[in-house]
Amino acid sequence: VCDNPLVAKSTARTKTATGNGSAGKGRPSKRRDDEVLEAAARIFYERGYADTSVQDIADDLGILKGSLYHYIDTKEDLLFRLLDGTHADVHQILKEVDAEEGLGPLEALELYVTRQLEYNIDHFQNVSVYYHDFERLGEERQKKILARRKEHQRWVTERIDEAQKAGLAQDAIDPAIAGRCIFATIIWTYRWFRPGRDRKDLVVESCTAFAMRGVIGDV
Amino acid sequence: VCDNPLVAKSTARTKTATGNGSAGKGRPSKRRDDEVLEAAARIFYERGYADTSVQDIADDLGILKGSLYHYIDTKEDLLFRLLDGTHADVHQILKEVDAEEGLGPLEALELYVTRQLEYNIDHFQNVSVYYHDFERLGEERQKKILARRKEHQRWVTERIDEAQKAGLAQDAIDPAIAGRCIFATIIWTYRWFRPGRDRKDLVVESCTAFAMRGVIGDV
Amino acid sequence: VCDNPLVAKSTARTKTATGNGSAGKGRPSKRRDDEVLEAAARIFYERGYADTSVQDIADDLGILKGSLYHYIDTKEDLLFRLLDGTHADVHQILKEVDAEEGLGPLEALELYVTRQLEYNIDHFQNVSVYYHDFERLGEERQKKILARRKEHQRWVTERIDEAQKAGLAQDAIDPAIAGRCIFATIIWTYRWFRPGRDRKDLVVESCTAFAMRGVIGDV
Amino acid sequence: VCDNPLVAKSTARTKTATGNGSAGKGRPSKRRDDEVLEAAARIFYERGYADTSVQDIADDLGILKGSLYHYIDTKEDLLFRLLDGTHADVHQILKEVDAEEGLGPLEALELYVTRQLEYNIDHFQNVSVYYHDFERLGEERQKKILARRKEHQRWVTERIDEAQKAGLAQDAIDPAIAGRCIFATIIWTYRWFRPGRDRKDLVVESCTAFAMRGVIGDV
DNA sequence: CATGAATGAGCATTCATTCAT
DNA sequence: CATGAATGAATGCTCATTCAT
């Protein structure tokens, strides 16, 4: 259904999401900084945020607990950078699909679903942390991310609504509920997809088809 | 589509599913014991298992932390009883649907989906804890539950397979993947359903339809 | 000059200065609670607040660091209870002197100075902590105490002013500055008085005389 | 009473009072070295020695923590240089007053008090650190300073004693105690004098008068 | 049954100090 | 001279769990 690699590049982020405000701490090289983030992602995925100690991460990096604080401000900070990065990626996909011209509502939706599935599967560890430990963030930071989450919900709902009004999709289902089901199909992959056992292209295609059928119905 | 109240009764569990291991502790009255479990469910849902202290639960019950240990052995024990109870309920649904006679594969599947959706929506707090904090259980206990989880996967996959072979469902999709998508649709409700905002019957019906369409396709 | 033991009793305080709000912590017996406060006072005096670890206090009490948290909420909390208690005592003296009837401004002032000197000498450890570590309190708590500190300044200044206007004291000195010098004379004792080496009654009498002469001058 | 600017010059010190112990460290330019000391004085005054981190001082200087160690050996070292410098100044005053010829005991005392008051007011930040954080020095260094402190006590006590024996001061008060009260009057200014609110010359004159009256009495 | 004092291990975080580059 | 990464020990605090009364 879809092969153009819009998403592939979007992995380049993590930017300066930190804010980097603190004086006299001379942010370390991006290289090492990313290694830290990577290690955290892996370990948070394996043990969960709450059950991961700063020690665990330091151990994994082969440095002392105290040394880790050269790269992070707090443990929560690390989580935020992770989730914020993941969210930025996911948001990027929405932007790119939305910018694509000449697509009908169903085509746009299908492209969106495909891309998100690909991303989720490629980064299921990050996605897992995203959905498991989002609540461990402080309120402020949760809101910051939640705001952007709603954009996705709105965008998908609108595409379904358009399609229904254009007679392209059966209209017995509430577009908002259909949207929720689509997200379910996309997101849930992080709980069951296992590289090696499951083939990515097959899963992406099958899940996209499942979701689209659920929306379109027998028009 | 479905009105028979098979599920309603199944809330009565929590029994002695635990095995009630501890020697000579003179289990307290079932009444109070259930109150403890209920409080734990609510607070685990709100704060997450790892971020909930035994103190929090004791506070909620209006007793002292030390006193709580009359009702529980360990904190993990509490979690297990909770998850085990939830799982027993869910399993009960599978049993009941499977026992229903005279149903074709798609009819059985639809009944199953509907029942599970109803249960999930009625007990979304328990379900939430189930999916968030399952990993906090010790390995032994995880396996105990996981085994039964696979039964569900198998049963659903088999129904889809049957339907495909009988020409009742389009067969372009791998039954196992379709099964995953169905579970996604069912389970994910715990992340978005909010009583008050969403109407249960509408959601159950819509999600069931979404899932079934995804399986059946345009045969 | 002054012998009535108004002050002696005022050591009974520490009341419920804590607020004692937290649920389910069942404040421990006043007995032990006071022992904790006493130990803290002694050690804060010896090492200073910042250089005293919670461990130090626990060691002194013969319990574990963690156990100490049965009696305190935070380390700062302990400091506050100490300072607040000391302040309450000192304030009590002002109240009592102020309530004394039939005293001229100089008599009242002299009584006040004497009482404060007695208190400072009897509790020079607490007073020392009060003046050394006051700034370690959070802003809120500092203000709470500072407000009452000004009352003393005002009261003393007013007595001097009255005396000057009545021709009982030379009026070349600004009452506010004279007040500061009186406080200096009173408070500084905590830095040099050592029981054993110095005799309390002699010191109280001498310092009172010194301060009063400084105010009255050669009228 | 006193106008000769004996003290004014004495601010130039900090010399190599330290002994400059460290081997082969090639002391940096006096300029920069003094800036470091100044910054430390200010920050120690604001936050207290214990609550000031080496980082804080480095930040203030606009260099990195590690770089600061080009100018200091240890944090305590910095404190010592500060206190030692202040103490050298104060000692200088004693020397100068003592060298003044043709002064009676009371005149000498009055000159001393005036000078000390002027110094304390001009350098109340240093004085504040001196009295707050002296105890943070190691034992050796404390003794080194304490020895010279006693010289002041002795000198003042002797002047009072002389005056009493010469009938210039009432002799009901123990000269040692009177001396303590004089120090109280001088030193305490660092706790209340605020430039802007208080006028230096007025304060110096008033406090000197207060102290002298306390000693002389109504002879 | 309930209390509340105590345990002991663990955790996030800070910080003075060192040193290779 | 300056950097910045790393050290290692300490600190305040939390918490599941136990147990004598």
Side-chain angles (χ1 to χ4, degrees):
Chain A
V1 172
C2 146
D3 262 285
N4 69 352
L6 279 180
V7 172
K9 310 159 229 158
S10 61
T11 326
R13 27 89 217 181
T14 305
K15 296 149 246 190
T16 330
T18 338
N20 201 354
S22 67
K25 200 161 188 175
R27 272 272 161 257
S29 75
K30 185 120 310 291
R31 272 292 282 142
R32 197 85 171 111
D33 214 66
D34 279 352
E35 277 172 39
V36 169
L37 221 55
E38 235 167 80
R42 187 162 19 85
I43 306 181
F44 284 166
Y45 168 72
E46 284 165 7
R47 300 217 234 304
Y49 174 75
D51 282 359
T52 297
S53 72
V54 171
Q55 184 73 254
D56 291 333
I57 300 171
D59 283 355
D60 188 274
L61 288 165
I63 59 176
L64 290 181
K65 190 171 39 161
S67 310
L68 187 53
Y69 280 82
H70 242 275
Y71 304 97
I72 66 173
D73 287 329
T74 65
K75 189 187 161 195
E76 199 213 282
D77 189 71
L78 201 47
L79 179 63
F80 177 71
R81 264 153 69 192
L82 220 55
L83 301 197
D84 191 61
T86 299
H87 205 98
D89 288 348
V90 164
H91 209 67
Q92 173 71 0
I93 296 177
L94 178 61
K95 286 279 161 62
E96 289 170 353
V97 171
D98 204 41
E100 203 78 8
E101 297 190 8
L103 299 181
L106 287 182
E107 288 162 325
L109 188 60
E110 184 166 13
L111 181 56
Y112 174 86
V113 172
T114 297
R115 293 277 162 71
Q116 293 288 11
L117 277 165
E118 282 171 340
Y119 183 83
N120 270 25
I121 286 174
D122 284 337
H123 305 85
F124 70 92
Q125 293 197 351
N126 294 284
V127 172
S128 179
V129 176
Y130 184 89
Y131 284 104
H132 259 81
D133 294 317
F134 176 75
E135 285 86 3
R136 262 78 233 162
L137 288 179
E139 243 184 309
E140 281 313 292
R141 286 169 149 174
Q142 283 197 24
K143 276 185 201 155
K144 215 161 141 186
I145 289 186
L146 271 179
R148 285 188 283 167
R149 204 128 105 181
K150 281 195 180 148
E151 278 189 55
H152 285 247
Q153 174 66 29
R154 186 164 43 238
W155 189 88
V156 167
T157 305
E158 279 171 4
R159 291 297 79 67
I160 297 174
D161 199 44
E162 271 183 46
Q164 288 184 357
K165 284 182 176 135
L168 300 167
Q170 55 99 34
D171 59 356
I173 198 170
D174 175 359
I177 296 181
R180 308 285 193 187
C181 292
I182 286 180
F183 284 117
T185 310
I186 293 170
I187 296 166
W188 198 246
T189 49
Y190 88 82
R191 304 265 331 201
W192 61 268
F193 186 90
R194 288 299 163 265
R197 187 192 64 184
D198 300 308
R199 272 185 51 213
K200 178 185 163 187
D201 55 353
L202 188 62
V203 166
V204 169
E205 194 191 311
S206 301
C207 289
T208 302
F210 182 93
M212 293 310 292
R213 274 203 297 279
V215 169
I216 301 172
D218 29 78
V219 189
Chain B
V1 171
C2 149
D3 262 284
N4 67 353
L6 279 179
V7 172
K9 311 158 226 159
S10 61
T11 327
R13 28 86 217 182
T14 304
K15 298 147 242 190
T16 329
T18 337
N20 200 353
S22 68
K25 202 162 188 174
R27 271 270 163 258
S29 78
K30 185 122 315 291
R31 274 289 283 146
R32 196 89 172 109
D33 216 62
D34 279 353
E35 277 171 37
V36 169
L37 220 55
E38 230 166 83
R42 187 161 20 85
I43 305 180
F44 284 166
Y45 168 71
E46 284 165 7
R47 300 217 236 302
Y49 174 74
D51 283 358
T52 297
S53 70
V54 172
Q55 182 73 253
D56 291 332
I57 299 172
D59 282 356
D60 189 274
L61 289 165
I63 60 176
L64 289 182
K65 192 169 38 162
S67 312
L68 186 54
Y69 278 82
H70 275 275
Y71 304 98
I72 67 174
D73 289 329
T74 67
K75 189 186 161 196
E76 200 213 281
D77 188 70
L78 199 47
L79 179 63
F80 178 71
R81 263 153 68 194
L82 217 57
L83 301 197
D84 191 61
T86 299
H87 205 97
D89 288 349
V90 164
H91 209 68
Q92 172 72 1
I93 295 176
L94 178 61
K95 287 278 162 60
E96 289 170 352
V97 171
D98 205 41
E100 205 76 9
E101 298 190 7
L103 298 180
L106 287 181
E107 289 163 326
L109 189 59
E110 186 168 11
L111 182 57
Y112 174 85
V113 172
T114 297
R115 291 277 161 71
Q116 294 287 11
L117 277 166
E118 281 171 341
Y119 182 83
N120 269 26
I121 285 174
D122 285 336
H123 305 84
F124 69 90
Q125 293 196 351
N126 294 284
V127 172
S128 180
V129 175
Y130 183 89
Y131 284 104
H132 260 83
D133 295 316
F134 176 75
E135 286 86 1
R136 262 79 236 161
L137 288 179
E139 243 184 310
E140 282 312 294
R141 288 170 149 175
Q142 283 197 25
K143 276 185 200 154
K144 215 161 140 186
I145 289 185
L146 271 179
R148 284 187 284 165
R149 202 128 103 183
K150 280 196 180 146
E151 279 188 55
H152 286 248
Q153 174 65 29
R154 186 164 44 241
W155 188 87
V156 167
T157 305
E158 279 171 4
R159 292 296 80 68
I160 296 172
D161 200 43
E162 270 183 46
Q164 287 183 358
K165 284 180 175 139
L168 298 168
Q170 56 101 32
D171 60 356
I173 199 170
D174 174 358
I177 296 181
R180 307 285 192 188
C181 291
I182 286 180
F183 284 117
T185 310
I186 293 171
I187 296 166
W188 199 245
T189 48
Y190 88 81
R191 305 261 336 197
W192 61 269
F193 186 90
R194 288 298 163 264
R197 189 192 62 183
D198 300 310
R199 274 184 48 213
K200 178 184 164 188
D201 55 353
L202 188 63
V203 167
V204 169
E205 193 191 312
S206 301
C207 290
T208 303
F210 182 95
M212 294 311 291
R213 272 202 298 278
V215 169
I216 301 171
D218 29 76
V219 191
Chain C
V1 172
C2 147
D3 262 285
N4 68 351
L6 279 180
V7 172
K9 312 156 227 161
S10 63
T11 327
R13 28 87 218 183
T14 305
K15 296 147 247 190
T16 329
T18 338
N20 203 354
S22 66
K25 199 160 187 174
R27 271 271 162 258
S29 76
K30 186 121 308 292
R31 273 292 282 145
R32 197 86 170 110
D33 214 65
D34 280 351
E35 278 172 38
V36 169
L37 220 55
E38 233 166 81
R42 186 162 21 83
I43 306 181
F44 284 165
Y45 168 72
E46 284 165 8
R47 298 217 236 302
Y49 173 75
D51 283 358
T52 298
S53 72
V54 172
Q55 184 73 256
D56 291 332
I57 300 172
D59 284 355
D60 188 274
L61 289 165
I63 59 177
L64 290 181
K65 190 171 39 161
S67 310
L68 186 54
Y69 279 84
H70 241 274
Y71 304 98
I72 67 174
D73 287 330
T74 64
K75 189 187 161 194
E76 200 213 280
D77 190 71
L78 201 46
L79 178 64
F80 177 71
R81 264 152 69 192
L82 220 55
L83 301 197
D84 192 59
T86 298
H87 204 97
D89 289 349
V90 164
H91 209 67
Q92 173 71 2
I93 296 177
L94 178 61
K95 286 278 161 61
E96 289 171 352
V97 172
D98 205 41
E100 205 76 9
E101 297 190 8
L103 298 180
L106 289 181
E107 291 163 323
L109 190 59
E110 187 168 11
L111 182 57
Y112 174 84
V113 172
T114 298
R115 292 275 163 71
Q116 294 287 12
L117 277 165
E118 282 171 341
Y119 182 83
N120 269 26
I121 286 174
D122 285 337
H123 306 83
F124 70 92
Q125 293 196 351
N126 294 285
V127 172
S128 179
V129 175
Y130 184 88
Y131 284 105
H132 260 81
D133 294 317
F134 176 74
E135 286 87 2
R136 262 77 232 162
L137 289 179
E139 244 184 307
E140 281 312 292
R141 287 171 149 174
Q142 282 197 22
K143 276 186 202 155
K144 215 162 140 186
I145 288 187
L146 271 180
R148 284 188 285 167
R149 200 127 106 185
K150 281 195 180 148
E151 277 189 57
H152 285 249
Q153 174 65 29
R154 186 165 44 240
W155 188 87
V156 167
T157 304
E158 279 171 6
R159 293 295 80 69
I160 297 174
D161 199 43
E162 270 184 47
Q164 288 184 356
K165 282 182 176 136
L168 300 167
Q170 57 98 32
D171 59 356
I173 199 170
D174 175 357
I177 295 181
R180 308 283 192 188
C181 291
I182 287 180
F183 284 118
T185 310
I186 294 170
I187 295 165
W188 199 246
T189 49
Y190 87 81
R191 304 259 341 194
W192 59 269
F193 186 91
R194 288 299 163 265
R197 188 192 64 183
D198 302 307
R199 275 183 47 214
K200 179 185 163 187
D201 54 353
L202 188 64
V203 167
V204 169
E205 194 191 312
S206 301
C207 289
T208 303
F210 182 94
M212 294 310 292
R213 273 204 297 280
V215 168
I216 300 172
D218 30 77
V219 189
Chain D
V1 171
C2 147
D3 262 284
N4 68 352
L6 279 180
V7 173
K9 311 159 228 156
S10 61
T11 326
R13 27 87 217 185
T14 303
K15 300 147 238 191
T16 331
T18 337
N20 198 353
S22 67
K25 203 162 186 174
R27 270 271 162 257
S29 78
K30 184 121 313 292
R31 275 290 285 145
R32 197 88 172 110
D33 215 63
D34 278 352
E35 278 171 37
V36 169
L37 219 56
E38 230 167 84
R42 186 161 20 86
I43 305 181
F44 284 166
Y45 167 72
E46 284 165 7
R47 301 216 236 301
Y49 174 75
D51 283 359
T52 297
S53 71
V54 172
Q55 182 75 253
D56 291 332
I57 299 172
D59 282 356
D60 189 274
L61 289 165
I63 59 177
L64 288 183
K65 195 171 35 162
S67 312
L68 186 53
Y69 278 83
H70 276 275
Y71 304 99
I72 67 174
D73 288 329
T74 68
K75 189 186 161 195
E76 198 213 281
D77 189 70
L78 201 46
L79 179 63
F80 177 71
R81 263 153 68 194
L82 218 56
L83 300 196
D84 191 61
T86 299
H87 205 98
D89 288 348
V90 164
H91 209 66
Q92 172 73 0
I93 296 176
L94 178 61
K95 285 280 161 61
E96 290 170 352
V97 172
D98 205 41
E100 205 77 6
E101 296 190 9
L103 299 180
L106 288 181
E107 289 162 323
L109 189 59
E110 186 166 11
L111 183 56
Y112 175 85
V113 172
T114 298
R115 292 276 162 72
Q116 294 288 10
L117 278 165
E118 282 171 340
Y119 183 83
N120 269 27
I121 287 174
D122 285 337
H123 306 83
F124 71 91
Q125 294 197 351
N126 294 283
V127 173
S128 180
V129 175
Y130 184 90
Y131 284 104
H132 260 82
D133 295 316
F134 176 75
E135 287 86 2
R136 261 80 236 159
L137 289 179
E139 242 183 311
E140 281 314 292
R141 287 170 149 173
Q142 283 197 23
K143 275 185 201 155
K144 213 160 142 187
I145 288 185
L146 271 179
R148 285 188 283 168
R149 204 128 105 181
K150 281 196 179 145
E151 278 189 55
H152 285 249
Q153 174 65 30
R154 184 163 45 238
W155 189 87
V156 167
T157 305
E158 279 171 4
R159 292 295 79 71
I160 297 173
D161 201 42
E162 270 183 47
Q164 286 184 358
K165 283 178 175 139
L168 298 168
Q170 56 99 32
D171 60 355
I173 198 171
D174 175 359
I177 296 181
R180 307 286 192 186
C181 291
I182 287 180
F183 284 118
T185 311
I186 294 170
I187 296 165
W188 198 245
T189 49
Y190 89 81
R191 304 267 328 203
W192 60 269
F193 186 90
R194 288 298 163 265
R197 189 192 63 184
D198 301 309
R199 274 184 49 213
K200 178 186 163 186
D201 54 353
L202 188 64
V203 166
V204 169
E205 194 192 310
S206 302
C207 290
T208 303
F210 182 94
M212 293 310 292
R213 273 203 298 278
V215 169
I216 300 173
D218 29 77
V219 191

